[in-house]
């Protein structure tokens, strides 16, 4: 009976040791998981910041592109206006040339008959 009590006491001790070991292992595993989750959350936060920065940079680039398009459109308008002005000047020069050549032709007609 004493031996059975000793064995039962020893068995109870082993159960307690085993439970404490398992509890300790579980606590260690849980702590490791929490650390892993914390690390993962930090990585996700870093990635979110990078994405946000890229988004802001993309918006700035889009604004720059729009400004460049507006500048280009303005330059196209200026070039078109210059082309119109050049055509008008060419027309005026042609008219002036016709007027200057006209009297000469008339003078040639008037003088050619008196040779």
């Amino acid at each position: 009976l004493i031996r059975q009590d000793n064995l039962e006491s020893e068995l109870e001790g082993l159960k307690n040791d085993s439970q404490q070991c398992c509890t300790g292992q579980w606590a260690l595993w849980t702590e490791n998981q929490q650390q892993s989750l914390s690390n993962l959350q930090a990585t996700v936060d870093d990635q979110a910041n990078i994405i946000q920065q890229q988004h802001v940079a993309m918006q700035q680039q889009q604004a720059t592109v729009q400004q460049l398009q507006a500048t280009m459109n303005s330059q196209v308008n200026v070039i078109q206006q210059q082309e119109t002005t050049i055509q008008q000047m060419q027309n005026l020069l042609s008219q002036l040339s016709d007027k200057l050549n006209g009297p000469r032709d008339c003078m040639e007609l008037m003088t050619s008959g008196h040779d």
Side-chain angles (χ1 to χ4, degrees):
L1 190 62
I2 294 175
R3 185 162 186 221
Q4 184 178 352
D5 285 342
N6 286 342
L7 287 175
E8 286 177 1
S9 177
E10 209 175 301
L11 180 61
E12 191 62 34
L14 287 172
K15 282 183 185 177
N16 288 338
D17 289 348
S18 164
Q19 187 176 12
Q20 287 176 358
C21 180
C22 287
T23 302
Q25 290 296 323
W26 177 254
L28 182 61
W29 182 84
T30 303
E31 185 180 330
N32 286 340
Q33 293 304 310
Q34 288 295 333
Q35 185 60 46
S36 293
L37 284 174
S38 294
N39 292 343
L40 183 58
Q41 184 63 50
T43 300
V44 168
D45 290 344
D46 289 345
Q47 291 298 316
N49 287 335
I50 290 169
I51 289 169
Q52 180 62 29
Q53 290 170 357
Q54 289 173 338
H55 181 70
V56 169
M58 187 178 67
Q59 287 177 328
Q60 291 171 342
Q61 289 172 344
Q62 285 175 337
T64 301
V65 166
Q66 288 172 347
Q67 289 172 348
L68 289 172
Q69 286 174 334
T71 300
M72 187 180 69
N73 290 339
S74 175
Q75 289 175 341
V76 166
N77 288 337
V78 168
I79 289 170
Q80 289 172 341
Q81 290 171 353
Q82 289 174 337
E83 287 175 344
T84 300
T85 302
I86 289 170
Q87 288 174 351
Q88 290 172 346
M89 291 173 71
Q90 286 174 336
N91 288 341
L92 288 174
L93 285 173
S94 178
Q95 290 172 4
L96 184 59
S97 176
D98 289 347
K99 286 182 181 179
L100 289 175
N101 287 333
R104 189 176 309 140
D105 293 342
C106 186
M107 290 298 286
E108 287 176 10
L109 285 175
M110 290 178 16
T111 57
S112 65
H114 294 61
D115 284 342

